[in-house]
Amino acid sequence: MLRIIKYWYEKYGAVPAVMSVEELEFTAPPVPKEAEFTLACEHFAFCTDNVLQNTETIGRLAD
């Protein structure tokens, strides 16, 4: 988990904002349009729940 936090900070400027037993939320500047799908894929690889339980597709998560 710490590696993805560091990686997203370095690549996207994301900073952990909320952490609980079940959640990790970030705050970040807007992601460049060309990086949205890549970040959505990375997010899905890190935690599938948001797609499987909410957006249903990686494309919707990217949007």
Side-chain angles (χ1 to χ4, degrees):
M1 189 179 295
L2 290 175
R3 287 184 186 193
I4 198 71
I5 291 170
K6 182 177 188 269
Y7 170 74
W8 281 343
Y9 171 74
E10 292 172 347
K11 188 165 184 180
Y12 304 108
V15 177
V18 177
M19 184 182 282
S20 72
V21 176
E22 298 179 356
E23 291 184 38
L24 173 59
E25 295 182 18
F26 291 83
T27 185
V31 176
K33 194 76 170 160
E34 61 275 3
E36 289 175 348
F37 191 75
T38 300
L39 177 55
C41 290
E42 292 172 357
H43 183 260
F44 181 70
F46 178 65
C47 178
T48 60
D49 286 354
N50 198 27
V51 172
L52 299 178
Q53 296 176 8
N54 296 314
T55 63
E56 298 177 355
T57 69
I58 294 173
R60 284 190 195 162
L61 179 63
D63 289 341

